[in-house]
Amino acid sequence: MEPKVYIDGELYPKSEAKISVFDHGLLYGDGVFEGIRIYSGRIFRFKAHIDRLYDSAKSIGLAIPLSRSRMDEAVVDTVRANGFRDAYIRLVVTRGVGDLGLDPKKCKIGSVIIIVDKIQLYPEELYRQGIKVITAATRRVSPDMFSPMAKSLNYLNNILAKMEANQAGCPESLMLNAQGLVAECTADNIFLVKHGELLTPAPEHAILLGVTRAVAMELARSLGINVRELPVTRHDVYLADECFLTGTGAELVPVVALDERLIGNGKPGPLTGKLRKEFSKLRETEGEDLFAG
Ligand code: PXG
């Protein structure tokens, strides 16, 4: 059966789910989005994702045409209508239909799109072996121009960095901020383990505040691990004992090399393994099973 896609209050089969070519989401990348996972019928960290969606929209002055509770209902209804217990939700809010000028005033009402579909995952062996990463020449967008904390439909700088990863034959590339400090990867946050502590770039270093990042920090603290947000350089990554990335798509993925320097002994580290285990437990138990009863 074809997945059903929610667009502005109606469900359409995937092949018929279309929006206008005059939508400013298409014409200008004017909109915001979220990527969310469903595990065993449970929407993982639903509230955190919806909070970030409304924050991103507020930041770009976009009025989401649904209240929070109507949005929650629309997502839950779309998940139930599709019946996937393990899937990916792509929630998009665009500025809506306008004319060919970029002025958002011409867009009367935003459009809400909810896609629920199977997710493309990294192959299992990448999790066992860990991934190799290169540093991209493309820098992360700077907060003094546009905040990288808003999850907007403008992903071109990340896409250019992803192309650099592709050229190097790596699944991901590391993006630096305008000052040359480590920010994050193209769709993942980065963590280091050094002398038993967990280290990660701070919010002011031009990162998206990842939902999975917050989960990794919580899990580490619950294991009694000290977590610090601080300025991180490439040197710190090269010399880390362990490194991993966090993201909705990747979950927690070990990184075993940056720019051909092996990290630690070049194998996924023990704390990364422990956190991956704790993450697997959490995602199966937290939240309500939408298909129960
Ligand atoms: N940094 C950036 C720039 C991201 O886009 C993350 C970090 C991790 O955040 P979360 O909240 O997911 O832990 C992201 C997440 C996609 C896709 O389809 C992108 C993301 C998430 C899911 C899917 O490209 N970005």
Side-chain angles (χ1 to χ4, degrees), residues 122-123 125-134 169-173 185 188 243-245 250 253-258 261-263 266-268:
Y122 282 144
E125 74 196 59
L126 279 191
Y127 288 93
R128 274 199 310 274
Q129 295 167 359
I131 63 169
K132 295 186 173 179
V133 172
I134 51 128
C170 294
E172 258 298 356
S173 62
C185 290
D188 304 287
C243 176
F244 62 88
L245 309 181
V253 64
V255 176
V256 292
L258 173 65
R261 277 77 153 181
L262 288 187
I263 296 171
K267 301 218 165 66

Side-chain angles (χ1 to χ4, degrees), residues 219-226:
L219 290 176
R221 287 186 175 121
S222 74
L223 293 172
I225 309 286
N226 195 37

Side-chain angles (χ1 to χ4, degrees), residues 175-214:
M175 300 183 79
L176 308 179
N177 66 18
Q179 288 70 44
L181 293 172
V182 168
E184 58 187 335
C185 290
T186 68
D188 304 287
N189 294 108
I190 185 166
F191 284 88
L192 308 179
V193 179
K194 186 75 179 178
H195 303 320
E197 283 189 315
L198 190 62
L199 312 176
T200 195
E204 62 268 28
H205 300 130
I207 62 169
L208 181 82
L209 285 177
V211 171
T212 325
R213 174 183 182 272

Side-chain angles (χ1 to χ4, degrees), residues 33 35 49 52 88 90 140 151 155 158 184-189 208 210-213 246-249:
F33 78 104
H49 282 287
R52 191 171 62 185
Y88 177 77
R90 166 61 57 87
R140 192 71 177 93
K151 200 161 162 60
Y155 253 59
N158 302 52
E184 58 187 335
C185 290
T186 68
D188 304 287
N189 294 108
L208 181 82
V211 171
T212 325
R213 174 183 182 272
T246 61
T248 293

